[in-house]
Amino acid sequence: MGLPGLAQAVDFATEVHPILASRCAVCHSGAKPAGGLSLASRGLALSGGMSGPAIRPGMGAESLLIQRVSGKKGATMPAGGEPLSAAQIETLRAWIDEGAVWPETPAALPAGWSAPIAPRRLEPPEGSEEHPIDRFVAAYFARHAMAFPETAGDARFARRVYYDLWGLPPAPEQLDAFVRDPSADKRARLIDALLGSPRLYAENWVSWWNDLLRNDMGGNYQGERKSITDWLVRALERNLPYDQMIQALVNPVEKADPDGFLIGVNWRGDINASQTAYMQAAQNTAQVFLGVNLKCASCHDSFINRYKLRESYGMAALFSTEAQLELVRCDVKTGKYTGPQLLYPELGAVEENATLEQRHAAAARFFTDPRNGRVARTIVNRYWQKLFGRGLVEPVDEMDAEPWNADLLDWLASDFTAHSSDLRYLLRLLMTSKAYQLAAAVTSEQAEKPYVFRGPVVRRLSAEQFADTVSMVTGEWRLLENRKEALPARDWQLKASPLALALGRPIRDQVFTTRDNRPTTFQALELANGASLEHTLRRGALRLLGRSPPAPDNLFDSGVLRKGAVAFDIDISGLKQLWLLEEDAGSYDRARTLAGWAEVELSGPGGSRKLTGLATLPVGTQKVIPIAGLGYTRMRGRVALDPRSLPSDIEGSVRFFVFGAEPDGERLVRVAGPPPLAGPPVLTSVDEAIPRLYRQLLAREPNPDERNLVKQYFKGGRLEPAALEDFLWSLLLHPEFQYLY
């Protein structure tokens, strides 16, 4: 069976054109494009400017466009603003390699199809299936002369539903109990039980919502970006209705409302006229809540959908400090103005000179208006895509496209609204259907045109699910550090590790409604050679065998120091050595960060001694001070950040520690509180370890050949750390672990 996603093509409209329009067209369009090169159309790009054609179909890395944006030829482009990200460059390269397909005319909607605005309420078709979704699907299968495919077995279903709701696999004991249960309703009861744990449910789904709402954890935010994490987690735990979530996000008037959503739309600053704070607010709210792409229509009338420049500016005026906005076409002012306008004017009008508060309220009413059926359709389509691997409408941000089953989409949307926009109700409805419980198909069917639904498609675990599973199985959790303590935490709570980035966790500098499932060379290198996974498995193997040495507690912890100094006075009686550590804590420019130890003195009944040479040490320095037999009982002094490290281009941030025993580099901060889940049992034999880890990671027993092969890892039948580490690594790299089938 091939790996999923290898045949997927880059979509020009949703992936390539937004990059060209927002980052390149400013200079390379119009009557006098820079360097004579216009990227206004494929033909102009192929004809080239002074330096030749910008794109050479089929030769991505050699194309001038790729050489310029990657800095391999001449000055790095774009000339202004941030350079393109590695992911954006890879998208352009892959698109060119695939032939640089570029629609020269507006993309027409399917003949006879026009996406409705108003809700459409209808009854499920008649049929023998009990579940309403299955009646729609059965009718669909009948029209295609298909029978209902086979459902997934109990173990595979349990693994799928645990990951979809908690982001973690079932423990072997939980899996065994579910498989042995003879009850006919056990699948529905399992779904209810998992939904009944608000914390574990919220800690899984918060990653999906963070992608959607441009919220992130662990970042050193510049400018005005503001986290909405606390509000978002509470909203998920309390099961806040979706319409109330939208109200709070778009019109934050209460003290507890998340004003960071509207602040965060502009956290990188204005890039050009189509990327101002208010235009980004219009683009993001339309994309998130309506599945509408306004990025093209923020620069000119769109040629990939029906939206116009004036309509985008009308939406932007709902969020601008000024009620009247001048239309700017491709960064050229037009002298024409527009006031606030709803994207669908049939849902009402906004006063031309309404205050910003009144315009925010109008935006919230627009997105929650019962007559606006697009909002419910968009969220149920997103949830369907999340659980089934492909939406009822694809791409999920093009809700003007025709669904493969419009009746099912409309029924789900109206039923969701009728049940008070309850997101957990929606999950239960989708997951209790036979359609969700079908055995997953290989994703080559995603490319089929026209698409034919046959059940869920194979999906890859998210970066957070991968990391949390490793932590659950080994007991090795990353630490969330505060002033003086650290808590074992799930991966979503922390800044993305190199492993998480390789596995697709985005940096969230834009809205991410789906993650790329395609395997990459970067992922393979990080999984095979990356330090993140290697260190966790090495420590985890020791912990699983009960051989993990306890980490010594620090004697002094300065906490994160971003300015000034901190004094310390600690007892060092009876110690033989002291370890002084100066750790980076998120400096913008670590190499230019200056910090150190000042006025450090060791003292005791026999006298005192000042330590020198510690005033300005490179960040990351560790000093070992021998004191055995010298009779010192106290250590006093200060740690400080040099004022020269304060400017915004350095933003020095350090943390100092003193230890009386050799420190554990992974556990410098005192750990307080339990892990997110109870630790795994200590493994005592090879015959115990093999089936347990197979059941936990693959939800099945090893077959005889696999069992015999694995036993070869353990020479002489001994359960040694290095062999256990290799065994864990081999299971984690197996496609059967990394994908949901």
Side-chain angles (χ1 to χ4, degrees):
M1 179 168 55
L3 288 177
L6 290 175
Q8 293 179 344
V10 178
D11 181 71
F12 175 80
T14 60
E15 298 180 77
V16 176
H17 184 264
I19 300 173
L20 298 181
S22 65
R23 304 306 310 280
C24 307
V26 175
C27 299
H28 296 286
S29 63
K32 296 181 178 180
L37 172 63
S38 175
L39 296 175
S41 70
R42 185 176 191 270
L44 291 173
L46 288 173
S47 63
M50 297 177 184
S51 301
I55 57 176
R56 299 175 64 193
M59 303 182 72
E62 297 179 19
S63 294
L64 177 61
L65 177 65
I66 300 302
Q67 294 185 53
R68 294 304 298 271
V69 298
S70 60
K72 294 180 179 178
K73 184 173 183 178
T76 302
M77 293 292 169
E82 294 285 332
L84 296 188
S85 68
Q88 289 174 317
I89 294 172
E90 174 59 21
T91 294
L92 294 175
R93 187 206 59 74
W95 167 66
I96 294 170
D97 268 343
E98 292 170 1
V101 176
W102 185 333
E104 296 288 351
T105 58
L109 292 173
W113 171 257
S114 178
I117 303 301
R120 184 168 71 102
R121 297 174 178 83
L122 66 162
E123 294 297 322
E126 297 294 329
S128 59
E129 300 292 341
E130 293 185 10
H131 199 289
I133 290 177
D134 294 331
R135 278 189 262 163
F136 282 100
V137 173
Y140 172 88
F141 284 157
R143 291 196 298 272
H144 288 77
M146 296 166 54
F148 238 111
E150 181 182 355
T151 57
D154 281 345
R156 184 164 288 183
F157 166 80
R159 184 175 189 267
R160 183 188 300 175
V161 82
Y162 265 87
Y163 270 117
D164 279 340
L165 290 180
W166 284 6
L168 296 162
E173 296 79 11
Q174 294 169 321
L175 180 67
D176 294 344
F178 177 77
V179 172
R180 288 196 304 266
D181 186 347
S183 305
D185 65 342
K186 66 179 182 180
R187 294 193 175 195
R189 286 192 291 106
L190 176 60
I191 292 167
D192 289 338
L194 299 182
L195 285 170
S197 176
R199 179 181 65 86
L200 291 173
Y201 154 75
E203 288 187 346
N204 176 43
W205 276 85
V206 69
S207 293
W208 186 84
W209 283 97
N210 279 339
D211 287 0
L212 192 69
L213 300 177
R214 289 182 70 170
N215 185 54
D216 211 346
M217 294 298 299
N220 185 12
Y221 293 163
Q222 308 298 316
E224 295 183 338
R225 193 174 187 192
K226 184 176 180 180
S227 172
I228 64 170
T229 301
D230 291 343
W231 173 87
L232 181 55
V233 172
R234 286 196 304 270
L236 293 172
E237 289 181 337
R238 293 166 44 215
N239 197 29
L240 188 67
Y242 184 53
D243 55 348
Q244 294 181 33
M245 289 178 68
I246 295 175
Q247 287 273 1
L249 289 163
V250 175
N251 185 31
V253 293
E254 302 296 333
K255 184 177 180 180
D257 285 347
D259 58 331
F261 174 67
L262 291 182
I263 291 174
V265 297
N266 199 40
W267 75 287
R268 283 194 182 276
D270 294 351
I271 298 172
N272 53 39
S274 68
Q275 292 294 301
T276 58
Y278 48 82
M279 188 58 78
Q280 289 184 57
Q283 294 167 356
N284 291 346
T285 53
Q287 180 181 359
V288 170
F289 304 128
L290 301 174
V292 166
N293 180 356
L294 290 184
K295 291 183 173 67
C296 291
S298 301
C299 193
H300 49 76
D301 289 348
S302 177
F303 66 80
I304 63 170
N305 57 36
R306 63 184 179 85
Y307 299 100
K308 306 298 183 184
L309 182 66
R310 180 175 291 276
E311 293 174 319
S312 293
Y313 271 87
M315 280 291 289
L318 295 171
F319 305 102
S320 170
T321 54
E322 301 294 330
Q324 297 290 317
L325 296 177
E326 182 179 9
L327 275 62
V328 180
R329 186 184 184 281
C330 297
D331 255 19
V332 177
K333 294 182 178 181
T334 65
K336 300 177 182 178
Y337 288 79
T338 187
Q341 179 182 325
L342 305 181
L343 194 59
Y344 308 131
E346 59 266 39
L347 298 183
V350 186
E351 291 291 334
E352 284 284 317
N353 296 312
T355 65
L356 181 58
E357 291 75 15
Q358 291 170 331
R359 284 177 274 135
H360 281 175
R365 286 195 302 273
F366 167 64
F367 288 119
T368 58
D369 192 320
R371 298 171 296 168
N372 188 351
R374 289 292 290 266
V375 174
R377 289 189 188 96
T378 300
I379 190 63
V380 300
N381 187 58
R382 294 197 190 286
Y383 268 47
W384 184 284
Q385 191 269 348
K386 173 67 174 170
L387 297 178
F388 286 79
R390 192 186 194 282
L392 291 155
V393 178
E394 279 286 334
V396 291
D397 291 330
E398 295 295 338
M399 288 299 291
D400 284 310
E402 185 173 11
W404 61 262
N405 194 323
D407 288 348
L408 174 55
L409 175 63
D410 284 343
W411 181 84
L412 285 170
S414 60
D415 183 70
F416 173 66
T417 302
H419 286 85
S420 304
S421 302
D422 185 328
L423 291 167
R424 279 191 222 165
Y425 166 83
L426 176 60
L427 283 170
R428 187 185 191 282
L429 177 70
L430 296 174
M431 298 173 80
T432 53
S433 70
K434 187 192 298 184
Y436 168 80
Q437 299 175 28
L438 298 175
V442 179
T443 56
S444 59
E445 294 183 4
Q446 291 187 29
E448 185 178 3
K449 298 184 183 303
Y451 170 74
V452 177
F453 175 75
R454 291 181 173 85
V457 294
V458 173
R459 294 175 282 138
R460 188 168 192 160
L461 298 183
S462 72
E464 294 88 342
Q465 290 171 342
F466 185 104
D468 285 346
T469 300
V470 174
S471 296
M472 175 186 179
V473 170
T474 63
E476 284 292 315
W477 298 89
R478 293 177 68 195
L479 295 178
L480 177 63
E481 299 177 1
N482 55 28
R483 177 66 185 169
K484 293 291 185 179
E485 296 178 334
L487 293 172
R490 293 186 65 167
D491 207 63
W492 70 269
Q493 297 173 273
L494 299 144
K495 185 177 181 180
S497 67
L499 177 63
L501 293 173
L503 292 178
R505 176 171 164 176
I507 60 173
R508 295 171 179 141
D509 57 349
Q510 58 183 299
V511 170
F512 285 87
T513 55
T514 56
R515 294 189 187 180
D516 193 345
N517 261 336
R518 292 174 291 188
T520 67
T521 302
F522 181 30
Q523 291 168 5
L525 291 173
E526 185 64 33
L527 288 168
N529 301 306
S532 301
L533 184 59
E534 179 188 1
H535 289 168
T536 302
L537 294 184
R538 183 168 299 158
R539 297 171 63 90
L542 290 171
R543 183 180 293 275
L544 283 170
L545 296 178
R547 304 184 196 177
S548 180
D553 284 336
N554 61 66
L555 303 176
F556 166 69
D557 175 2
S558 69
V560 176
L561 191 62
R562 295 192 174 94
K563 64 179 180 179
V566 174
F568 61 89
D569 183 346
I570 55 180
D571 184 355
I572 58 173
S573 302
L575 298 179
K576 296 180 180 180
Q577 287 181 306
L578 295 173
W579 279 261
L580 280 59
L581 280 66
E582 181 181 322
E583 298 291 311
D584 180 56
S587 304
Y588 185 78
D589 189 337
R590 172 175 169 168
R592 296 164 62 198
T593 297
L594 303 175
W597 307 74
E599 303 167 7
V600 180
E601 181 182 53
L602 305 177
S603 63
S608 63
R609 168 191 168 196
K610 291 187 178 294
L611 299 182
T612 59
L614 304 175
T616 53
L617 297 175
V619 175
T621 296
Q622 177 175 306
K623 288 283 188 180
V624 182
I625 313 294
I627 59 172
L630 300 179
Y632 296 127
T633 59
R634 308 292 310 172
M635 178 181 182
R636 301 179 181 88
R638 293 185 304 121
V639 292
L641 184 69
D642 192 296
R644 290 173 291 177
S645 301
L646 299 182
S648 59
D649 61 335
I650 300 176
E651 289 196 344
S653 181
V654 292
R655 192 165 189 166
F656 296 86
F657 298 93
V658 176
F659 283 86
E662 185 172 3
D664 179 342
E666 302 288 333
R667 296 289 186 270
L668 299 178
V669 180
R670 290 174 179 261
V671 178
L677 294 169
V682 173
L683 300 175
T684 59
S685 70
V686 172
D687 288 335
E688 176 194 11
I690 294 174
R692 179 175 185 84
L693 293 173
Y694 258 86
R695 290 204 307 279
Q696 185 144 29
L697 294 174
L698 306 187
R700 65 173 176 85
E701 293 282 341
N703 63 44
D705 289 341
E706 289 171 331
R707 190 183 294 269
N708 291 333
L709 179 63
V710 171
K711 282 188 174 182
Q712 296 178 26
Y713 286 22
F714 303 98
K715 303 300 183 183
R718 296 187 302 274
L719 194 56
E720 294 297 332
L724 182 57
E725 179 186 343
D726 288 344
F727 177 38
L728 285 166
W729 180 83
S730 66
L731 287 177
L732 293 170
L733 265 62
H734 199 296
E736 201 172 339
F737 165 70
Q738 295 195 30
Y739 292 87
L740 293 176
Y741 291 91

